[in-house]
Amino acid sequence: MNREDVLRHTLELLETIERENYRGYDPYDFYLSPYSRFFPKSILFLHLQKFSPINLRPLLGIKKGMVTKVYGLMLDSYLNLYLLTRDERYMGKAQEMYRMMMDAAIVNTPEELGWGRNYPFKTGGEIHDNKKPLVYLDSRLGLALIHYYDITHDDTVLADVKRVVTNLLRTGRVLKKDGYSFIGYSPDKNTRLTFNASMVAVELMMKLLDRSGQTTFVIDDIDIRQLSHDVVRTMVHFQEPDGSWTYGFSSTGKTFMQKDFHQGFVIDSLYHVLSLISDDELKEEGFSAYEKGYEFLKNIQIGKDGEFFWRYPKKYPIDIHNQAQGILSLSVNREDQSLEVLEKIINYTFTHFWSKKKKCFYYQKWPLLTNRISYMRWCNAWMLYAQTEYLLKTKE
């Protein structure tokens, strides 16, 4: 598949997303069902629905909604399309998405700005209702604001980003594991410690300092440059010998062993902060960790045909979110001029997941069947963002 084909499909996908008004189902939206109140303490039904190839949501009374992360993914995608084409229509759509994203904040005070899920969600140890901000959502949407600022140079946006950083620090808090610093995932007392949420938060904090021209900010007695450096040291310390990271740790210290698309979250944020680290020794260590992490994703997690392993070393189900993250991470690295693996994963993704009729992406591929449900966030918004990053890289 050549670049022109990818551009054509990107615009077709965008048309599909806009026709749906950015709304859709999500793999994790079970607790939006009015029937979920009969199963208040079980996540078994959530997982059954998540893997079911039959979309049961209409029967369960679940309606399509605007998944919070879509605001950030669409804002980034519109901005990328503007950079690609200089078409003012995309900037107009970016401005509208920015306003929608700000209106969706569940915390919006003179000091804090933050977002939560649009649906309740439960894990083994945490309960996220849709009134609680979450560190990853704050960080991801905050980075979309940074992207918006980089093009508009609107100083009020930087003030908004500082409010986001304040909220994510108060939400997640600075927590320790074996003496190393993390930013907790949620405000729950038994929150997870995850590498990806902590590192994406660091990217936001360091970009805020860079765009503000400040050496540091102190928020609630936390020096955010020092904290950022400490979290990078955490990434270096806990990286596995093969270059991978596990997902993180439970509040009781149990290791979540999965190795999946979150690897891409960590390395992409490391890539973006390396030039902003002021400690030369740490910068060198961070660069080495990034190189090892990038090689693991590129050469281990992505198979010979372009399929991204579900949870390495488990191959199936091959998942569109993993495919999107693989494309994104290989595109974010502008120094890697070898396009062979990137083109393989692009070709595999369009061959096995793209619906020529519906102009959208399917969810999962198993050895004998394909789950043809198409989710707005998990499938389409992530792939739109990944495709626009690919188009920017190949244009350069």
Side-chain angles (χ1 to χ4, degrees):
M1 176 172 293
N2 59 38
R3 187 177 182 278
E4 288 70 26
D5 290 331
V6 175
L7 176 58
R8 174 168 53 84
H9 292 320
T10 298
L11 298 179
E12 291 172 341
L13 176 61
L14 178 60
E15 184 178 347
T16 299
I17 292 172
E18 290 178 338
R19 186 169 58 250
E20 292 292 325
N21 198 27
Y22 314 110
R23 295 177 175 273
Y25 298 119
D26 194 85
Y28 295 90
D29 60 10
F30 171 75
Y31 291 105
L32 287 176
S33 169
Y35 301 108
S36 67
R37 69 181 184 271
F38 299 114
F39 312 101
K41 295 183 179 180
S42 173
I43 63 173
L44 171 63
F45 295 94
L46 181 149
H47 289 293
L48 287 174
Q49 177 180 265
K50 183 176 73 171
F51 286 109
S52 172
I54 300 172
N55 189 2
L56 301 173
R57 291 165 183 81
L59 294 175
L60 293 172
I62 299 171
K63 297 179 180 179
K64 293 181 179 180
M66 182 67 174
V67 184
T68 308
K69 202 176 296 182
V70 171
Y71 292 109
L73 295 169
M74 291 306 302
L75 179 54
D76 276 326
S77 298
Y78 281 135
L79 293 172
N80 281 349
L81 287 168
Y82 172 73
L83 292 173
L84 280 162
T85 66
R86 294 298 171 177
D87 187 330
E88 290 294 336
R89 290 179 302 167
Y90 294 123
M91 179 51 68
K93 291 179 178 183
Q95 291 167 340
E96 178 60 25
M97 187 57 60
Y98 164 72
R99 289 189 287 268
M100 291 169 61
M101 190 170 86
M102 297 296 286
D103 289 343
I106 59 171
V107 176
N108 194 342
T109 71
E111 282 194 344
E112 298 181 60
L113 179 65
W115 294 269
R117 299 180 192 272
N118 68 305
Y119 51 79
F121 180 73
K122 301 178 184 181
T123 68
E126 296 169 273
I127 299 175
H128 306 154
D129 63 37
N130 50 10
K131 297 180 178 62
K132 290 181 181 179
L134 295 173
V135 166
Y136 179 78
L137 283 175
D138 278 0
S139 303
R140 185 65 193 79
L141 272 62
L143 287 171
L145 291 180
I146 289 285
H147 195 181
Y148 187 64
Y149 169 79
D150 286 343
I151 296 175
T152 65
H153 304 291
D154 181 349
D155 288 338
T156 63
V157 177
L158 279 187
D160 290 336
V161 174
K162 188 173 181 181
R163 291 196 294 143
V164 175
V165 170
T166 301
N167 182 255
L168 74 84
L169 289 175
R170 291 175 179 175
T171 294
R173 296 143 294 155
V174 180
L175 303 173
K176 298 287 186 176
K177 165 71 174 172
D178 300 337
Y180 288 88
S181 297
F182 289 82
I183 300 170
Y185 192 89
S186 78
D188 289 22
K189 65 179 181 180
N190 55 344
T191 184
R192 291 166 283 170
L193 304 178
T194 67
F195 297 112
N196 72 89
S198 296
M199 193 61 228
V200 177
V202 165
E203 181 186 352
L204 180 64
M205 292 190 291
M206 295 194 75
K207 283 185 172 179
L208 171 62
L209 292 179
D210 178 66
R211 278 31 169 207
S212 303
Q214 300 291 320
T215 302
T216 193
F217 288 125
V218 177
I219 298 175
D220 296 343
D221 297 324
I222 299 171
D223 181 318
I224 67 170
R225 179 172 293 277
Q226 184 60 53
L227 173 60
S228 297
H229 285 187
D230 287 346
V231 173
V232 172
R233 289 188 182 93
T234 298
M235 301 300 125
V236 171
H237 175 78
F238 285 103
Q239 187 176 32
E240 301 291 317
D242 61 7
S244 66
W245 283 272
T246 61
Y247 179 64
F249 305 98
S250 71
S251 60
T252 61
K254 177 185 176 182
T255 302
F256 297 115
M257 293 304 297
Q258 68 202 61
K259 299 179 181 181
D260 54 19
F261 61 88
H262 293 100
Q263 175 86 5
F265 290 8
V266 175
I267 64 171
D268 290 357
S269 289
L270 262 178
Y271 178 87
H272 287 299
V273 305
L274 286 173
S275 64
L276 307 178
I277 297 174
S278 55
D279 182 311
D280 289 339
E281 182 178 353
L282 180 61
K283 182 182 293 188
E284 185 175 342
E285 292 174 348
F287 180 78
S288 177
Y290 171 76
E291 288 284 286
K292 289 168 61 179
Y294 182 75
E295 288 301 312
F296 180 83
L297 181 142
K298 179 179 179 179
N299 296 320
I300 304 298
Q301 288 183 284
I302 300 174
K304 62 181 178 63
D305 295 322
E307 72 282 22
F308 196 117
F309 280 55
W310 179 56
R311 290 182 176 176
Y312 186 82
K314 295 179 180 178
K315 182 174 181 177
Y316 291 101
I318 301 170
D319 190 296
I320 188 61
H321 199 328
N322 289 17
Q323 296 296 122
Q325 187 57 51
I327 295 167
L328 186 59
S329 293
L330 297 183
S331 298
V332 162
N333 187 333
R334 299 293 204 261
E335 281 71 40
D336 184 358
Q337 296 300 306
S338 172
L339 298 179
E340 181 181 359
V341 177
L342 179 53
E343 290 174 351
K344 279 184 180 179
I345 192 171
I346 283 276
N347 289 333
Y348 186 94
T349 304
F350 276 97
T351 298
H352 295 283
F353 289 90
W354 176 247
S355 171
K356 295 179 181 179
K357 180 179 179 181
K358 296 181 180 179
K359 311 300 182 186
C360 63
F361 286 95
Y362 297 136
Y363 175 38
Q364 289 180 335
K365 180 181 183 299
W366 296 78
L368 298 179
L369 63 89
T370 296
N371 185 325
R372 297 179 184 273
I373 301 175
S374 185
Y375 296 109
M376 184 58 70
R377 168 184 70 108
W378 197 265
C379 304
N380 297 322
W382 269 112
M383 273 302 300
L384 182 70
Y385 178 43
Q387 288 167 235
T388 60
E389 283 289 330
Y390 166 82
L391 290 168
L392 279 174
K393 174 166 181 167
T394 51
K395 179 182 179 181
E396 294 169 357

